[in-house]
Amino acid sequence: MLPTLFLSHGSPMIALQDSPARRFLLDLGRSLPRPKAIVVASAHFETPMPVVVTDPAPEMIYDFGNFDPRLFEIVYPAPGEPSLAMTVAERLQAAGLGPRVAPKRGYDHGTWIPLALMYPDADIPVVQVSIQPNADPAHHLAVGRALAGLAAEDVLVIGSGSLTHNLGEVFDRRRGGFRPLEGPIDAWATSFADWFADRIAANDVAALTDYRRQAPEAVRNHPHDDHLLPLYVALGAAGEGARPERIHTSGQHGSLMMDAYAWWPKAETRAAAA
């Protein structure tokens, strides 16, 4: 069976620029069973309440500026899946989360960049689900729990964000650009990433949802927690008893941690689906 994933998508330049995180994403799609559809909760799709995209043919959203012009030429033409989108909306409604549907919305870069690396043929339907930046991790855990079980239906659920995301620290004010792609990673970022690795391995949901109080340098790593909220969607969607695994860790630009996690379904779930 498929796992549930949290992926750090990093700078849009990951689509063009070689790095350990880029190579990881290129290999990841080939290493997994092929899904029949993908559901993505992206940090770049923000709404007051959960919104599910029913668009059968999403276009592109280039939601960034001042990057390599080649990025604006990339097209990821994967189809949408309206019937799955309605199923997702119904699950969210049954969980009391008051969802809405969006009949027209393109793929933001939190969706198309990792998918273009993982599944370059763009032949797997994709459904997008929003995050609520004014809601807490517990809310997003509930969003994910409403999606639990989709993996048993060969649907890959992905939370796309960033394990750390302080762009003010990533930017080199003296040089007027990003800090070097490669090089040492600040200790305050690695200690935060290691705390998450430890708490995820322990399935310590209480600590994870209270990360802003318990994790080291939480506010410095996430002045706003929009890029971490997709992790809680993935955690919830994994379901009870899933086995967590830190499937990638690397750093970029001095403090941008690119960690990725998979939650593998428990053995009895896999056996029931076989």
Side-chain angles (χ1 to χ4, degrees):
M1 277 179 61
L2 290 162
T4 299
L5 301 175
F6 170 73
L7 304 176
S8 295
H9 59 252
S11 159
M13 287 301 294
I14 194 173
L16 303 174
Q17 196 172 43
D18 182 51
S19 68
R22 185 180 195 275
R23 293 193 294 272
F24 160 72
L25 289 172
L26 287 170
D27 290 339
L28 181 58
R30 294 189 290 264
S31 73
L32 297 173
R34 179 180 169 85
K36 71 176 185 182
I38 301 168
V39 173
V40 180
S42 166
H44 294 277
F45 183 13
E46 300 182 353
T47 60
M49 76 292 292
V51 173
V52 186
V53 178
T54 59
D55 195 337
E59 298 179 350
M60 299 293 288
I61 300 175
Y62 303 102
D63 48 342
F64 46 79
N66 300 318
F67 282 94
D68 191 313
R70 291 176 294 170
L71 288 171
F72 298 87
E73 300 172 1
I74 297 174
V75 175
Y76 191 71
E81 182 57 271
S83 61
L84 174 60
M86 292 307 301
T87 296
V88 169
E90 290 164 3
R91 283 170 167 249
L92 294 170
Q93 182 64 38
L97 293 166
R100 303 288 186 270
V101 296
K104 188 72 175 175
R105 186 186 188 273
Y107 293 134
D108 62 69
H109 81 269
T111 296
W112 65 259
I113 280 184
L115 293 186
L117 295 171
M118 292 173 64
Y119 300 109
D121 292 336
D123 56 353
I124 302 173
V126 179
V127 170
Q128 297 177 95
V129 179
S130 68
I131 64 163
Q132 289 66 71
N134 294 323
D136 62 9
H139 164 84
H140 290 83
L141 187 70
V143 170
R145 283 174 172 164
L147 308 182
L150 287 178
E153 301 172 26
D154 297 326
V155 175
L156 178 63
V157 178
I158 298 175
S160 176
S162 188
L163 203 283
T164 65
H165 193 258
N166 186 332
L167 296 186
E169 297 278 3
V170 168
F171 196 76
D172 187 337
R173 296 172 182 82
R174 294 171 299 176
R175 299 181 180 180
F178 285 117
R179 293 167 66 182
L181 177 67
E182 299 179 352
I185 306 300
D186 295 334
W188 55 266
T190 57
S191 64
F192 179 88
D194 289 343
W195 182 90
F196 258 84
D198 180 64
R199 293 300 87 208
I200 288 174
N203 288 306
D204 190 348
V205 174
L208 290 167
T209 53
D210 191 32
Y211 90 95
R212 288 189 83 79
R213 190 176 65 86
Q214 297 193 32
E217 300 280 7
V219 175
R220 189 175 186 183
N221 280 282
H222 286 279
H224 308 282
D225 59 4
D226 52 353
H227 271 68
L228 197 58
L229 296 176
L231 182 146
Y232 297 96
V233 177
L235 174 61
E240 295 295 327
R243 176 177 61 84
E245 181 183 1
R246 190 187 202 182
I247 55 175
H248 178 75
T249 183
S250 66
Q252 300 181 357
H253 303 297
S255 65
L256 193 63
M257 293 300 295
M258 300 295 293
D259 292 20
Y261 286 90
W263 285 267
W264 301 92
K266 58 185 179 181
E268 49 266 46
T269 303
R270 293 196 300 270

